[in-house]
């Protein structure tokens, strides 16, 4: 079974620039999540999709972050404009059902300078 | 109150010893609990899942759930240097939403 694919692995941008991350979940996993993990902290949910609909985006800073999941498969997360405090690892995960937990992708490490 | 808390600092254990990690959760109705291992610079990977009260063993790992006291533990027996990582506890954040809330993690360092 192929895992969750994410790209890019690393990204360095200047503040106020924009950036986009891509995720391809495990085939057949209807639920897709984007988490933000700041160094030394646990992952924090940004947005959850069920197929191509948003289930929970209550912790997404909507003034600068946006996400979409077209056709219920791939997803992109965008930040515009970026702030220094957005420096973190952005993790994509997918699940078939919660009883089996999530599978995480390798993550994108974002550094905003 | 946070949904899940892991409060202890880095844990150093000698090789071959038992490492013990604890996690408390706030939602008394939580039914399932997860432990993830995260190596430095890597993404979390699921190592244990426990649903019912009591213990669940998988190789050198044992998860213990105490619903009355609302805590879940992870024991690592015969600790190896390869167990050096951060261990994240996770619980379903709310019923029906099919998502997990994570603790901040506990770092384990196994000293050869």
């Amino acid at each position: 079974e192929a895992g969750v694919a994410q790209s890019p692995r690393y990204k360095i941008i200047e503040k106020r620039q924009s950036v986009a991350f891509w995720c391809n979940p495990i085939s057949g996993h209807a639920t897709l999540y984007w988490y933000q993990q700041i160094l030394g902290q646990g992952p924090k949910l940004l947005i959850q999709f069920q197929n191509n609909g948003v289930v929970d985006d209550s912790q997404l800073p909507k003034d600068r972050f946006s996400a979409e999941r077209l056709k219920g498969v791939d997803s992109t997360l965008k930040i515009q404009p970026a702030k220094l405090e957005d420096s973190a690892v952005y993790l994509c995960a997918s699940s078939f059902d919660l009883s089996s937990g999530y599978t995480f992708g390798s993550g994108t490490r974002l550094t905003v300078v | 109150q946070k949904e899940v808390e892991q409060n202890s600092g880095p844990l150093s254990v000698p090789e071959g010893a038992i490492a013990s990690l604890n996690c408390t959760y706030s939602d008394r109705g939580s039914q399932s609990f997860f432990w993830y291992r995260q190596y430095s610079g890597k993404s979390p990977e699921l190592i244990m899942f426990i649903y019912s009260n009591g213990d669940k063993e998988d190789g050198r790992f044992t998860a213990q759930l105490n619903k009355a006291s609302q805590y879940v533990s992870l024991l690592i027996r015969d600790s190896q240097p390869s167990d050096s990582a951060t261990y994240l506890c996770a619980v379903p954040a709310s019923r029906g939403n099919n998502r997990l809330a994570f603790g901040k993690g506990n770092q384990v360092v196994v000293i050869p």
Side-chain angles (χ1 to χ4, degrees):
Chain A
E1 173 180 79
V4 176
Q6 283 189 253
S7 67
R9 284 299 309 276
Y10 305 94
K11 192 74 177 180
I12 301 174
I13 62 172
E14 296 182 349
K15 59 183 179 183
R16 291 187 290 274
Q17 286 188 324
S18 63
V19 64
F21 313 126
W22 173 83
C23 173
N24 181 252
I26 292 174
S27 178
H29 283 193
T31 311
L32 183 148
Y33 313 82
W34 283 102
Y35 279 80
Q36 179 193 58
Q37 187 174 27
I38 293 172
L39 188 64
Q41 298 182 19
K44 184 187 85 169
L45 181 73
L46 292 174
I47 190 167
Q48 175 188 353
F49 292 94
Q50 179 78 17
N51 296 309
N52 60 348
V54 175
V55 175
D56 186 346
D57 64 355
S58 58
Q59 298 188 82
L60 187 74
K62 298 181 186 64
D63 58 333
R64 299 184 301 106
F65 286 64
S66 64
E68 61 182 6
R69 188 182 184 195
L70 299 176
K71 300 181 181 178
V73 183
D74 293 8
S75 177
T76 56
L77 176 69
K78 297 179 182 178
I79 307 175
Q80 182 179 13
K83 293 185 176 181
L84 297 176
E85 60 260 36
D86 298 330
S87 295
V89 176
Y90 291 84
L91 295 164
C92 179
S94 68
S95 71
F96 177 72
D97 69 68
L98 196 56
S99 64
S100 54
Y102 299 167
T103 301
F104 283 92
S106 55
T108 297
R109 182 176 299 276
L110 174 67
T111 303
V112 182
V113 297
Chain B
Q1 185 180 11
K2 291 184 179 180
E3 293 166 300
V4 56
E5 296 204 48
Q6 296 178 260
N7 288 326
S8 54
L11 178 65
S12 293
V13 296
E15 185 173 354
I18 296 175
S20 177
L21 306 171
N22 291 318
C23 165
T24 59
Y25 58 94
S26 60
D27 184 358
R28 189 171 287 278
S30 294
Q31 296 291 323
S32 52
F33 306 86
F34 302 83
W35 284 99
Y36 283 80
R37 177 177 62 198
Q38 187 172 27
Y39 291 115
S40 179
K42 302 294 185 182
S43 59
E45 58 175 325
L46 181 65
I47 57 170
M48 287 289 285
F49 158 64
I50 186 166
Y51 182 83
S52 58
N53 243 0
D55 297 358
K56 179 180 178 181
E57 189 173 311
D58 185 358
R60 296 184 295 107
F61 296 97
T62 299
Q64 299 175 320
L65 174 59
N66 185 319
K67 288 189 175 182
S69 300
Q70 293 180 241
Y71 77 82
V72 57
S73 301
L74 179 70
L75 301 178
I76 308 173
R77 293 184 305 280
D78 188 24
S79 295
Q80 301 297 308
S82 59
D83 296 325
S84 296
T86 295
Y87 290 81
L88 299 163
C89 176
V91 301
S94 60
R95 295 183 190 182
N97 257 11
N98 203 37
R99 66 175 180 89
L100 296 177
F102 288 82
K104 68 177 184 179
N106 288 126
Q107 185 182 10
V108 171
V109 178
V110 180
I111 302 167

